[in-house]
Amino acid sequence: QVQLVESGGGLVQAGGSLRLSCAASGSIYRINAMGWYRQAPGKQRELVATITSGGTTDYVDSVKGRFTISRDNAKNTVYLQMNSLKPEDTAVYYCTTDANTDWLFRHTYWGQGTQVTVSS
């Protein structure tokens, strides 16, 4: 099994910054892609950013230029640096990883979620 532990959420004023962290642990053979989703009240869960094992990144249009996803493979950790935050960014943020626990078993794992609230 793989466990994901998130940190860094909180309350911030519009225009401020937060950095989310998510560390993977457990029986890890290989971590492939990692990413962040968010879900605001009354809305569908939205893919915010992804990063491949090779470092290729992708973002939803609404956060381009403001958010940066990165990873530290030695620490099995993914980060989301969020700058110029807007009230519309308020949501529960979930990290996710596509990981192998052995040669054959590949699965998607989810963190517990961390609340990000941006006040106007």
Side-chain angles (χ1 to χ4, degrees):
Q1 287 288 88
V2 176
Q3 298 82 43
L4 301 176
V5 179
E6 302 176 0
S7 62
L11 175 64
V12 66
Q13 293 182 339
S17 298
L18 287 172
R19 189 175 81 151
L20 307 182
S21 300
C22 178
S25 63
S27 184
I28 300 171
Y29 175 76
R30 184 188 182 203
I31 292 178
N32 305 301
M34 306 183 81
W36 292 90
Y37 284 76
R38 66 185 180 187
Q39 188 164 28
K43 297 183 66 177
Q44 296 283 93
R45 187 171 296 177
E46 175 186 43
L47 181 60
V48 178
T50 59
I51 184 166
T52 69
S53 60
T56 301
T57 60
D58 196 20
Y59 303 89
V60 67
D61 286 345
S62 61
V63 309
K64 287 181 178 177
R66 300 188 297 120
F67 290 11
T68 303
I69 187 171
S70 61
R71 63 191 287 170
D72 185 336
N73 291 332
K75 298 179 179 179
N76 291 329
T77 299
V78 62
Y79 306 93
L80 187 67
Q81 178 67 46
M82 304 184 294
N83 298 326
S84 301
L85 282 162
K86 304 175 181 179
E88 305 94 276
D89 297 317
T90 295
V92 177
Y93 284 71
Y94 300 88
C95 68
T96 185
T97 184
D98 171 22
N100 287 81
T101 53
D102 58 31
W103 267 110
L104 297 178
F105 189 74
R106 184 171 180 171
H107 189 67
T108 299
Y109 299 89
W110 292 84
Q112 80 286 354
T114 185
Q115 177 70 47
V116 172
T117 302
V118 184
S119 62
S120 58

